[in-house]
Amino acid sequence: MASRVNTKFVVILIVAVIAMLGMLFAAYSVVYKTADDLVKKGDQALAEGNIEIALRMYSSAVNKDPTIVENLEKWISTIELWVPETETAYFDAFRRDYLGAIRQASVIQRTNV
């Protein structure tokens, strides 16, 4: 009983495995950005004048590592630059982001009197 290898199936299987590995690598590179990578993107967005993207990048950087004071300070100063479209957005951002960032900065620098 001689067996033949179905070459079409093997080629499709190899292409599928390579595609899956490519997608896994892309997902890994998107999900596992470091706080420094996010801060660099925030700095770039701020230099281009896109404050909302800079806010998102600094916020993500602080979320990745909330103990880095420089990132907190950049996030706080960018929040202060941002002009929201509505008063409700202002109050939401003030309560949620600004006060939280100030509180976290004071917790980290509790000995810096």
Side-chain angles (χ1 to χ4, degrees):
M1 187 182 214
S3 65
R4 283 184 13 171
V5 175
N6 189 346
T7 55
K8 186 177 179 181
F9 173 74
V10 171
V11 169
I12 291 173
L13 183 65
I14 290 172
V15 168
V17 168
I18 290 172
M20 289 296 291
L21 289 175
M23 287 189 289
L24 284 174
F25 177 74
Y28 177 80
S29 64
V30 168
V31 171
Y32 291 104
K33 293 199 181 294
T34 64
D36 291 334
D37 295 337
L38 294 167
V39 168
K40 287 176 187 173
K41 283 190 175 188
D43 291 342
Q44 181 183 4
L46 197 59
E48 294 171 356
N50 199 339
I51 294 176
E52 292 181 6
I53 291 178
L55 271 174
R56 198 172 330 129
M57 293 297 115
Y58 292 143
S59 172
S60 297
V62 169
N63 189 29
K64 290 271 183 188
D65 190 357
T67 62
I68 301 175
V69 177
E70 293 81 18
N71 296 352
L72 277 165
E73 290 173 351
K74 285 184 178 188
W75 187 31
I76 291 168
S77 65
T78 307
I79 291 171
E80 291 170 351
L81 290 174
W82 179 57
V83 179
E85 294 179 10
T86 64
E87 190 174 342
T88 306
Y90 168 77
F91 284 118
D92 288 344
F94 179 78
R95 283 188 223 116
R96 183 187 63 233
D97 297 335
Y98 189 70
L99 291 179
I102 297 265
R103 181 192 172 284
Q104 180 64 22
S106 66
V107 167
I108 292 171
Q109 300 180 25
R110 64 180 168 262
T111 59
N112 186 9
V113 194

